[in-house]
């Protein structure tokens, strides 16, 4: 029994399409693996940069404390940086005071309300009735 030429051609085309799909899948897998590796390396870079930033910040804070205590004198070229840092520190202190004042006002208002509610048992408002 001879094979049908149409079936043979269709089978050949299906095999070629399958081979092409396998090749494309392998290429796609390689690209995904490359992108995953790139993302991993970038994440590591970001983590290292974060560590560096933290270390620099800690160093700067330690140096600034020593300058404030008079134990360390920086060259005059650092004067603008020191001035900027002092200004930021003054702003932070002012904001902290403002927050403290607002919290104190809130506490005082709460105390007044508490005293008013404790002293005003007869408020002129009918009490809530219980549901049966």
């Amino acid at each position: 029994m001879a094979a049908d030429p149409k079936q043979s051609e269709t089978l050949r085309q299906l095999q070629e399409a399958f081979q092409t799909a396998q090749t494309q899948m392998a290429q796609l897998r390689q690209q995904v693996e490359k992108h995953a590796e790139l993302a991993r390396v970038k994440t590591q870079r970001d983590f290292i940069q974060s560590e560096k930033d933290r270390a620099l910040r800690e160093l700067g804070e330690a140096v600034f404390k020593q300058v404030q205590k008079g134990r360390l004198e920086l060259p005059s070229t650092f004067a603008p940086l020191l001035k900027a840092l002092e200004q930021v520190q003054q702003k932070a202190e002012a904001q902290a005071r403002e927050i403290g004042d607002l919290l104190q006002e809130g506490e005082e208002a709460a105390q007044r309300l508490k005293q008013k509610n404790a002293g005003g048992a007869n408020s002129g408002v009918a009490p809530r009735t219980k549901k049966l």
Side-chain angles (χ1 to χ4, degrees):
M1 176 181 210
D4 184 5
K6 285 184 178 181
Q7 282 184 336
S8 295
E9 179 61 24
T10 302
L11 184 59
R12 185 188 63 74
Q13 289 175 350
L14 283 173
Q15 288 174 337
E16 285 179 9
F18 183 73
Q19 288 293 340
T20 301
Q22 281 184 321
T23 302
Q24 289 174 345
M25 185 64 110
Q27 290 171 347
L28 181 60
R29 180 179 294 122
Q30 287 177 343
Q31 289 176 351
V32 168
E33 289 172 355
K34 283 181 184 179
H35 285 293
E37 179 66 12
L38 181 61
R40 184 187 66 78
V41 171
K42 284 183 176 182
T43 299
Q44 284 179 334
R45 181 201 62 200
D46 292 346
F47 180 75
I48 291 169
Q49 184 64 42
S50 177
E51 283 183 319
K52 179 183 173 186
D53 291 344
R54 184 174 46 255
L56 284 171
R57 183 176 55 250
E58 289 172 3
L59 173 64
E61 289 175 359
V63 168
F64 184 66
K65 286 178 184 177
Q66 294 300 312
V67 168
Q68 283 182 316
K69 292 177 182 178
R71 296 182 183 165
L72 181 65
E73 189 173 325
L74 297 177
S76 61
T77 57
F78 286 87
L81 296 173
L82 287 172
K83 185 173 181 167
L85 184 55
E86 289 170 353
Q87 288 175 346
V88 169
Q89 191 171 23
Q90 289 172 356
K91 287 178 185 178
E93 290 169 359
Q95 187 179 38
R97 284 191 303 275
E98 183 179 353
I99 290 171
D101 291 346
L102 290 172
L103 290 174
Q104 181 64 33
E105 287 175 19
E107 181 64 31
E108 291 169 0
Q111 288 298 326
R112 285 192 303 270
L113 184 60
K114 188 176 180 182
Q115 289 172 355
K116 180 180 176 185
N117 287 339
N122 192 3
S123 66
V125 177
R128 294 179 94 182
T129 57
K130 294 183 179 179
K131 293 182 181 179
L132 298 174

